[in-house]
Amino acid sequence: MAAETPGNPSQETLSNLLHESRRFEPPAELAAGANVTAAAYEEANADRLAFWEQAADRLTWAERWHTTLEWNAPFAKWFLGGTLNVAYNCVDRHVEAGNGEKVAYYWEGEPDGDERVITYADLQKEVAKAANALTELGVRKGDRVAIYMPMIPELPISLLACARIGAIHSVVFGGFSATALRSRIDDADAKLVITADGGYRRGAPSALKPTVDEAIQDCPGVEHVLVVRRTGQDVAVTERDVWWHDLVERQSDRHTPEPHDAEDPLYILYTSGTTGKPKGILHTTGGYLTQTAWTHHAVFDLKPDTDIYWCTADIGWVTGHSYIVYGPLANGATSVLYEGTPDTPHRGRFWEIVQKYGVTILYTAPTAIRTFMKWGDDIPAKFDMSSLRVLGSVGEPINPEAYVWYREHIGGDRTPVVDTWWQTETGAIMISPLPGVTAGKPGAAMRPLPGISADVVDDQARSVPNGGGGFLVIRDPWPSMLRTIWGDDQRYKDTYWSRFDGFYFPGDGAKRDEDGDLWLLGRVDDVMLVSGHNISTTEVESALVSHPKVAEAAVVGATDPVTGQAIVSFVILRGSADESADIAKELRDHVAKTLGPIAKPRQILVVPELPKTRSGKIMRRLLRDVAENRSVGDVTTLADSSVMNLIASKLPSAASED
Ligand code: ATP
Ligand code: MG
């Protein structure tokens, strides 16, 4: 457990309780041929801006920049004077280089047998037609286009068409309600909405168009709705609706891409809303494409000629923007794009897809990995996944047990796992192992990437020593950073730049271990203050998940008369474990043994589900409401609002346990 350090409060900003001794060296073959070696850290340390200039030179610029960075804190401009077209960089230049026949996307629909192979030459034509169609609809550079679609090829095509003409896209995840969609359309003042009649989810067509109709009832700014026919279900058609197959298909498949300024906006994306009201994060072109492309090349060691890359995120989230669309396409990668859920028509669907396409690089989220663990090892064991060579994780801290399971049962104990820390706001990966360089530790995001200056500080903004915990900060601007919150510079300053003078504050806690490696410890708002110790949710959850009977866990601090706050745990048991009478005692003792008595939960509640956002992140603030017997707060970004009732119904059994 943490040492008492009354004389040095900075040591106690966040306790360091979890100690992990497993290490995984990079495979020799991967290290020998790695895209990026340890030299990159030295180069970037020696001259950070020169390092990013080199990364920017991987792109094709119409006009080269004259100034690499202009920093009027907290407002950054990168590659000033440079012009480029993002869609040209992602598509046309590969065709011009003779790679038109190369596959950009293997699209796999959810219904069996539904597939499409899209080469870079195909993509160029489709994007040109869509760009011409947007122009015919009156969309001009700087206009906002809301996109509310299933995971079908027309989705990345729409993003690229916007990028091509300089329109600003705002993708809204297809699972959001009409209210959520309306507020995002309103906030960005979109003039066009692109949608589909519906998409396939869990084996059935699921309508989207009626949600758009409801959302835009009072949105006079929306001039048209462009509708892709995907499911063929009945939809009401009004005067502002235009069918994709009518308008886009008759366009010319040629379109000349105009260069845009490096600081012209590329898109707005609202954060996933784990902590509160989503913020419209604004990204621009030159710096964003530079960092997404470079990180995709470095962190996944992407070899465009041989790799088959699959990021399982939805394009509705930033992970999909940066690592399904912009980064991979800028690098000329071949990707898998999958429409559906992991359990349709069966729980081995992901592994079947890995086997079918010979996927070499897989990028997914801890919530998915924990679900697969819960479903059982025998499911992935049925498939040949020997093609896999790098595995990635994003979205939440990955618990060490989940990391090791992922490596063993998906990666055949050969593949490095890269735990990538970043946010909608950062635009691209910031902290991550490099698969050919780093000896990975399960649960650690390890080091800031070359060119990124991340630090862990105490509440006085002093760097914590090795072994200490505190607040994660970014010291210097980075190319793909958000430029502001759409329409709200003040909120931008207040949210990210006011906590520590001159540093970007992402809102996450972290620790730097004895070797100087970084571990993400969850959001600082979720930190629990128990008897004077700041305890991270992540460490207690990881300790719970390391018990063989636990599949998932979420912990929160609830007011306690004795300790200030006490730890309340919500756990989902693994399929095989039964809810025995003394499971609570068993788990409490297990945590005390793993982390020390200070972290022993006061209560353990066995629940059937946890409240999660639609991107799969646990919403602890709702559990805090439950633990403190308050009425539950805003649930609009929750994937399934009935989950809170299920959890509340479990409460009485947890009243006293000591
Ligand atoms: P909101 O900001 O609206 O509350 P959100 O923070 O959930 O929503 P995202 O930008 O999608 O929206 O998520 C970024 C956050 O996800 C990070 O700040 C961090 O808390 C968490 N996260 C992402 N990747 C990792 C990772 N590899 N390790 C630990 N945490 C991660
Ligand atoms: Mg956030």
Side-chain angles (χ1 to χ4, degrees), residues 89 101 116 165 317 347 361 371 414 453 513 605 625:
N89 271 276
E101 292 317 303
R116 250 174 94 182
I165 64 173
W317 311 118
R347 288 178 167 183
I361 304 170
T371 303
R414 312 175 298 281
S453 35
D513 70 15
L605 285 100
D625 292 340

Side-chain angles (χ1 to χ4, degrees), residues 271-275 395-397 419-420 422-424 508 523 617:
T271 56
S272 71
T274 309
T275 52
E396 288 181 294
D419 173 21
T420 63
W422 59 296
Q423 313 176 289
T424 309
D508 287 352
R523 298 158 196 280
K617 294 166 194 267

Side-chain angles (χ1 to χ4, degrees), residues 30 33-36 58 291-304 306-313 318-320 322-324 327-328 331 333-335 359-365 387-395 406 415-422 427-437 449:
L30 199 160
N35 287 350
V36 175
R58 300 179 69 252
Q291 193 175 332
T292 51
W294 186 81
T295 51
H296 182 254
H297 161 83
V299 171
F300 300 108
D301 190 45
L302 179 95
K303 307 282 195 263
T306 47
D307 275 320
I308 306 291
Y309 164 83
W310 182 22
C311 167
T312 70
V318 74
T319 305
S322 298
Y323 297 106
I324 296 178
N331 289 333
T334 296
S335 299
V359 172
T360 58
I361 304 170
L362 179 71
Y363 193 26
T364 193
S387 53
L388 286 169
R389 64 180 200 94
V390 178
L391 301 178
S393 170
V394 62
Y406 190 29
T415 56
V417 174
V418 288
D419 173 21
T420 63
W421 178 86
W422 59 296
I429 300 171
M430 302 290 279
I431 306 176
S432 166
L434 288 176
V437 178
L449 287 176

